[in-house]
Amino acid sequence: MKPWPAVCPSNCSVRPLAPSPAQLAAWLQSQHTELSTFTHCNLAPSGRGAAPLIQHPASKHAYVAHHQRTEVTRVLGCHSCCRIDMFSKGTKRKFSDDGDEISDESLAGAQVSSSYSLQRQSLLDMSLIKLQLCHMLVEPNLCRSVLIANTVRQIQEEMTHDGTWQVVTETFCGGSQSPSERLVATEVLCRSREQDAEPKLFSVLSYEGCREEEVVTDETLCSVSVSDTASDVCLSESARHCWERDEFVEVDRDDEACESSRLGPGDDDDDDDNDDDEVDEEEESSRVDPKTMGQVFGTFEIKNSAPGPDSALEELFSDVDASYYDLDTMLTGIQSAPKMGPYDLLDSLAPSHGPPSIGSPSNCRSDLNELDHIMEIIVGS
Amino acid sequence: MEGDGGSEIKQWCLSQVKGAIDDDVTEADIISAVEFNHSGELLATGDRGGRIVIFQQEQESKTLAHSRGEYNVYSTFQSHEPEFDYLKSLEIEEKINKIRWLPQKNAAHFLLSTNDKTIKLWKISERDKRPEGYNLKEEDGRYKDPTSVTTLRVPVFQPMDLMVEASPRRVYANAHTYHINSISVNSDNETYLSADDLRINLWHLDFTDRSFNIVDIKPTNMEELTEVITASEFHPLQCNTFVYGSSKGSVRLCDMRAAALCDQHSKLFEEPEDPSARSFFSEIISSVSDVKFSHSGRYMMTRDYLTIKIWDLNMESQPVETYQVHEYLRSKLCSLYENDCIFDKFECCWSHDDSEVMTGSYNNFFRMFGRDGQAGVTLEASWESSSPRCPLRPWRVCAGSRRKEDEIGVDCLDFSRKILHTSWHPQDGIIAMATVNNLYIFQEKLN
């Protein structure tokens, strides 16, 4: 039985970290064979308290679902009040003798709410995939994108209302402390390693005028903003492998990439004990909506960027809607972008940044992707 | 046959099928626009390859009194070519999004066709005579030796085989940043509007280098974008009035006399949402895919994913009639979202006398509703199961996966075969609709 990756942030003030619903589902699936009964996660919006976690007798930091009962298995409580109980009191937790409280009615209700939340999560994941997988050669359908984004927003709002959204945004956005350089390095590393791998999702860096602003890293929404205060990059699943073992980035990109990956044994166990939480992002998590939605639509417009080395060029082209440069960064590498090693990256830096030269369409697009990507790294740092 | 047309159920027969019959469909042949002209004599179709095919109705046969003329190919031409936007590094599809005919003023026919970015005015004219008897040229065009000319004659027009020429008269380009979804000719026959996702422009037919922006819903901050324009149309009689539908299920009526920029609507047609039916898909299925004024100009029809709503222009609070097109899909919305079918944009159309409305559905079904209270009927566009002049048999869709005579289960529906584009003859009981690559023409059975 794999212990649940426990995070005990030292400086966590109000909201402790807990696994995201997606991870929860993934973990549940992996534990499914060991659990004799239907597992459920009490995410009922009605506000019922979640079933408490039971500390695994073997491991001090692992909280697992008690699995000796036959009729019901208490699961990882995801409700906020339960989390507070679990974490703020350290090792104190309730034991399984509380299980007698659970009756059949609440079991049924919990099952329903769990399936609802799982459905909701899968809907969210599906929506995010749709937002990313746009046809690259033709402009994506704005109406469709808007509708999907509104659906995502709706789910987000409901999850925020539930209290589950804070979980999502806080947990796995503990990026690195030295933001840009390491991210760049990782990017390059990951790109080179991914040359033979099937691309799932690439990390998304979007610099859409967010340099000055607070940034939200919402890894579930597959969009990342680079900011001055904190650069939090959530990398793709394959990128995860690139990280050092002591780096705690529990990234759960696989829920966007493909559903099946979620069910696999997963790589969650790598980063268990990495408790660093560099950035407390509670404040930012509530601002998920506009920023991340901005990632989707901001790309359709030129933003007023801070004056930079290419300001003259930008002025020149300011009346031109060159928004799709930026769309590339968000949808970078999804389909046909060739994977580049570090040397290719350097090569592409040679031509100066500016409007793309007129070349064949496919070259143009991949060049644009790389160019923009590099530019944002440079500018963002 | 005389009788109260209200209670009599009209019967439809398959008249013609155009296009390749085989299943192997090339992308370019998929029909993307269908439109009758104002007399109904011509039927234009546009496809994804940027071509327009115009069919002309034969003069009514004198012998077969109960048969209307058939439609035969009249003209075929390439309207739009694929383009590449170098600045954005994106292709611009040549797919024809909409075709609208201009009312006929002289012998030639004019139509507007649009792809995502450019609108073109085409003139379709006939030539059935040619001058013959030139003095200096041979018949084949070669110049004669001047010394061989001994007499003079006046060239005369001689009849020739009919030739239909299509020539682009105007190209209205570079006015839309986003994808054009609608065009609509004004009743003044001088102006027309073109609508993209966020803006509506007003053009004069004679001027291609300028257009007026009359609606702009683009937010200053694109992050706040939550609503787009999905369809737009001019009022058939009032040249100052137009409507546009949005992705949030509302329709706004605007009066151009009120302001130059009609961001403030004059009327807002929106039905309050039923809170009990709310789901994550509520907004998506409420998105207006088509809006059409009735011929009388008093009513307006909107099509969203599951229903048709008829609105009285004088009442904004709720529609006067609502018809369920395929309510059985409500429980399948999640799957339809997954395979993107939930974003399909179905068109709808009025009958010539506004007594019936029609729209398409999946599995090559189409739905007809009589507005006098008779229930809707589901018919199928299928050349295999219909014979000409034989009335179509209605279908029923039930739950589950049963399939038997005239009844089919929801799970058996083929969502890849859908009828998005439909058009009703302006004066007669003839309807045209496009399945994926075939054009079907049905006629009302004359008793």
Side-chain angles (χ1 to χ4, degrees):
Chain A
M1 162 102 75
K2 273 186 307 212
W4 185 259
V7 284
C8 301
S10 52
N11 56 349
C12 176
S13 54
V14 176
R15 286 190 239 287
L17 298 179
S20 76
Q23 281 204 304
L24 173 69
W27 189 86
L28 284 178
Q29 290 288 346
S30 67
Q31 300 303 309
H32 187 68
T33 51
E34 294 180 305
L35 295 167
S36 54
T37 59
F38 176 69
T39 63
H40 57 277
C41 172
N42 195 340
L43 290 177
S46 62
R48 272 180 305 209
L53 268 191
I54 303 130
Q55 186 178 28
H56 195 276
S59 162
K60 190 174 163 190
H61 293 292
Y63 289 83
V64 300
H66 185 66
H67 62 91
Q68 287 162 1
R69 302 179 63 84
T70 50
E71 62 274 1
V72 62
T73 312
R74 249 85 42 75
V75 210
L76 317 140
C78 293
H79 199 273
S80 52
C81 67
C82 177
R83 287 196 297 276
I84 290 176
D85 287 340
M86 284 171 359
F87 291 105
S88 60
K89 295 179 189 170
T91 59
K92 198 170 178 186
R93 67 280 173 273
K94 299 179 188 142
F95 274 102
S96 56
D97 48 356
D98 291 338
D100 297 327
E101 299 163 14
I102 293 189
S103 63
D104 283 341
E105 300 93 52
S106 65
L107 165 62
Q111 282 175 338
V112 166
S113 65
S114 154
S115 74
Y116 172 80
S117 65
L118 285 178
Q119 281 174 15
R120 182 176 64 183
Q121 183 62 43
S122 76
L123 183 62
L124 180 65
D125 301 336
M126 202 194 312
S127 307
L128 294 168
I129 298 178
K130 283 181 184 298
L131 279 177
Q132 289 234 334
L133 294 178
C134 299
H135 300 286
M136 292 303 285
L137 283 180
V138 186
E139 287 180 45
N141 188 340
L142 183 60
C143 180
R144 178 176 172 272
S145 304
V146 167
L147 288 173
I148 298 173
N150 287 350
T151 309
V152 168
R153 195 181 276 131
Q154 209 182 323
I155 298 176
Q156 263 180 263
E157 278 168 12
E158 192 174 295
M159 289 172 86
T160 309
H161 193 259
D162 275 357
T164 53
W165 191 251
Q166 279 81 11
V167 175
V168 170
T169 51
E170 291 155 9
T171 315
F172 308 110
C173 301
S176 57
Q177 268 167 351
S178 57
S180 306
E181 305 81 57
R182 176 166 313 161
L183 300 177
V184 174
T186 316
E187 260 304 293
V188 170
L189 255 153
C190 296
R191 278 177 182 271
S192 61
R193 285 193 197 192
E194 276 157 344
Q195 268 164 359
D196 24 353
E198 184 79 19
K200 294 235 166 112
L201 273 185
F202 288 71
S203 70
V204 175
L205 291 177
S206 167
Y207 63 105
E208 280 304 298
C210 290
R211 284 191 294 276
E212 315 83 15
E213 297 157 332
E214 289 253 359
V215 149
V216 176
T217 326
D218 177 11
E219 65 91 18
T220 319
L221 285 190
C222 302
S223 64
V224 173
S225 305
V226 179
S227 78
D228 293 330
T229 56
S231 314
D232 306 300
V233 175
C234 300
L235 301 177
S236 64
E237 176 183 0
S238 37
R240 217 191 316 172
H241 298 297
C242 308
W243 284 87
E244 305 291 316
R245 227 168 137 72
D246 56 352
E247 273 305 321
F248 175 64
V249 176
E250 187 65 37
V251 176
D252 197 35
R253 284 301 177 125
D254 45 358
D255 52 346
E256 291 99 17
C258 50
E259 307 288 287
S260 58
S261 68
R262 206 200 303 194
L263 306 177
D267 307 286
D268 339 3
D269 46 356
D270 290 350
D271 306 306
D272 306 327
D273 303 311
N274 302 319
D275 310 330
D276 305 337
D277 184 37
E278 288 81 358
V279 176
D280 189 326
E281 295 193 341
E282 303 157 32
E283 300 86 21
E284 293 172 348
S285 62
S286 58
R287 275 201 295 270
V288 163
D289 283 352
K291 287 297 169 293
T292 47
M293 287 309 112
Q295 314 303 320
V296 178
F297 302 120
T299 55
F300 286 93
E301 271 298 302
I302 289 185
K303 288 285 174 70
N304 294 324
S305 52
D310 47 351
S311 61
L313 275 169
E314 295 218 354
E315 274 171 21
L316 201 57
F317 292 93
S318 60
D319 57 334
V320 165
D321 192 326
S323 49
Y324 284 98
Y325 300 165
D326 309 319
L327 187 60
D328 294 343
T329 67
M330 196 196 117
L331 305 174
T332 254
I334 294 300
Q335 277 96 18
S336 54
K339 314 210 201 346
M340 286 174 46
Y343 300 104
D344 296 345
L345 223 60
L346 293 174
D347 284 344
S348 67
L349 276 171
S352 63
H353 173 71
S357 56
I358 296 176
S360 70
S362 54
N363 288 344
C364 229
R365 293 207 55 68
S366 54
D367 285 346
L368 262 184
N369 290 345
E370 302 311 328
L371 219 45
D372 281 327
H373 190 72
I374 293 152
M375 273 318 297
E376 67 205 346
I377 293 168
I378 293 172
V379 173
S381 58
Chain B
M1 161 167 141
E2 276 77 334
D4 38 50
S7 56
E8 189 183 292
I9 296 182
K10 298 199 173 126
Q11 299 205 306
W12 292 89
C13 314
L14 175 63
S15 170
Q16 291 172 275
V17 181
K18 303 285 189 192
I21 297 294
D22 56 10
D23 284 336
D24 193 18
V25 180
T26 57
E27 170 87 9
D29 290 332
I30 296 176
I31 297 173
S32 54
V34 177
E35 188 77 5
F36 278 102
N37 76 336
H38 290 269
S39 65
E41 181 202 356
L42 297 178
L43 173 61
T45 63
D47 62 21
R48 287 203 190 170
R51 290 167 304 201
I52 290 184
V53 179
I54 302 179
F55 300 90
Q56 184 188 38
Q57 190 179 28
E58 279 175 5
Q59 294 305 311
E60 277 197 29
S61 170
K62 300 294 184 292
T63 54
L64 294 169
H66 295 299
S67 168
R68 300 173 181 87
E70 281 198 345
Y71 284 85
N72 300 312
V73 176
Y74 179 65
S75 172
T76 305
F77 56 94
Q78 185 78 33
S79 171
H80 286 74
E81 298 278 356
E83 288 170 37
F84 190 74
D85 182 343
Y86 291 101
L87 208 51
K88 295 185 191 174
S89 215
L90 290 166
E91 280 183 8
I92 300 172
E93 282 188 321
E94 67 274 28
K95 170 171 85 92
I96 306 292
N97 291 337
K98 281 288 180 334
I99 295 173
R100 289 287 182 265
W101 290 91
L102 268 57
Q104 194 174 9
K105 286 193 220 178
N106 51 34
H109 300 274
F110 288 86
L111 63 79
L112 285 169
S113 70
T114 182
N115 69 347
D116 283 339
K117 297 287 186 185
T118 307
I119 307 138
K120 293 188 183 180
L121 177 69
W122 287 89
K123 174 180 176 183
I124 296 105
S125 50
E126 294 181 2
R127 187 195 297 268
D128 60 355
K129 295 183 185 51
R130 68 162 181 221
E132 285 179 13
Y134 284 104
N135 291 294
L136 296 176
K137 275 197 290 192
E138 304 282 359
E139 292 307 321
D140 56 8
R142 284 178 304 138
Y143 280 96
K144 280 182 184 172
D145 178 12
T147 57
S148 68
V149 177
T150 54
T151 60
L152 282 180
R153 56 185 175 169
V154 177
V156 293
F157 276 100
Q158 299 291 343
M160 59 179 257
D161 292 337
L162 178 65
M163 196 167 72
V164 180
E165 299 170 324
S167 58
R169 305 303 287 178
R170 302 274 191 277
V171 178
Y172 310 92
N174 302 323
H176 285 279
T177 310
Y178 304 98
H179 291 180
I180 298 175
N181 53 55
S182 315
I183 48 175
S184 175
V185 183
N186 205 348
S187 51
D188 62 7
N189 289 336
E190 286 184 357
T191 55
Y192 74 95
L193 64 78
S194 59
D196 66 22
D197 292 321
L198 297 178
R199 298 191 178 100
I200 301 181
N201 291 335
L202 180 72
W203 301 82
H204 192 286
L205 285 166
D206 290 340
F207 300 109
T208 62
D209 58 349
R210 69 197 86 155
S211 71
F212 292 105
N213 177 240
I214 52 178
V215 172
D216 189 341
I217 64 168
K218 179 171 169 295
T220 32
N221 194 356
M222 279 296 273
E223 294 168 358
E224 295 156 8
L225 178 64
T226 57
E227 192 173 8
V228 298
I229 298 170
T230 52
S232 182
E233 194 180 55
F234 263 121
H235 192 277
L237 305 171
Q238 296 166 14
C239 59
N240 53 280
T241 308
F242 67 96
V243 293
Y244 65 94
S246 82
S247 58
K248 285 203 169 166
S250 60
V251 178
R252 287 173 174 79
L253 183 143
C254 300
D255 188 335
M256 293 196 291
R257 298 171 300 187
L261 191 59
C262 300
D263 281 354
Q264 298 287 91
H265 56 262
S266 298
K267 294 196 182 190
L268 173 64
F269 298 88
E270 196 170 26
E271 187 171 24
E273 196 182 2
D274 179 12
S276 64
R278 177 137 187 87
S279 74
F280 287 120
F281 306 109
S282 298
E283 185 183 320
I284 301 180
I285 62 169
S286 72
S287 170
V288 175
S289 60
D290 194 17
V291 61
K292 289 264 170 49
F293 280 103
S294 66
H295 292 94
S296 63
R298 165 117 188 250
Y299 296 96
M300 169 179 76
M301 163 164 59
T302 59
R303 172 76 157 98
D304 52 63
Y305 191 64
L306 296 179
T307 68
I308 279 183
K309 293 178 180 165
I310 310 252
W311 301 80
D312 185 327
L313 291 183
N314 300 316
M315 184 163 82
E316 304 164 59
S317 54
Q318 60 178 29
V320 290
E321 294 155 35
T322 304
Y323 300 102
Q324 303 294 334
V325 179
H326 35 219
E327 181 67 13
Y328 45 80
L329 295 183
R330 194 178 284 272
S331 55
K332 308 278 176 197
L333 289 179
C334 199
S335 318
L336 294 167
Y337 180 73
E338 194 176 349
N339 62 14
D340 266 9
C341 281
I342 207 173
F343 301 108
D344 285 335
K345 296 193 159 196
F346 290 94
E347 291 173 14
C348 53
C349 48
W350 293 87
S351 66
H352 55 282
D353 55 359
D354 295 342
S355 65
E356 285 176 271
V357 295
M358 186 264 281
T359 187
S361 177
Y362 293 104
N363 208 70
N364 282 355
F365 286 160
F366 61 98
R367 297 273 280 151
M368 319 234 357
F369 301 95
R371 294 185 59 213
D372 48 5
Q374 44 174 294
V377 63
T378 305
L379 302 172
E380 187 187 10
S382 159
W383 60 273
E384 292 155 329
S385 50
S386 317
S387 48
R389 284 187 266 302
C390 210
L392 296 175
R393 281 199 318 266
W395 281 89
R396 266 196 328 268
V397 180
C398 56
S401 52
R402 278 174 295 165
R403 193 187 178 111
K404 53 183 187 190
E405 188 80 17
D406 297 342
E407 193 170 293
I408 183 170
V410 181
D411 299 331
C412 298
L413 294 177
D414 185 350
F415 290 98
S416 64
R417 300 190 304 154
K418 55 190 93 164
I419 295 178
L420 300 174
H421 312 287
T422 56
S423 185
W424 200 307
H425 193 287
Q427 287 157 15
D428 217 346
I430 304 175
I431 50 180
M433 64 192 70
T435 58
V436 171
N437 68 325
N438 290 115
L439 178 70
Y440 281 78
I441 302 173
F442 295 92
Q443 290 186 7
E444 204 173 11
K445 188 172 161 111
L446 299 172
N447 295 323

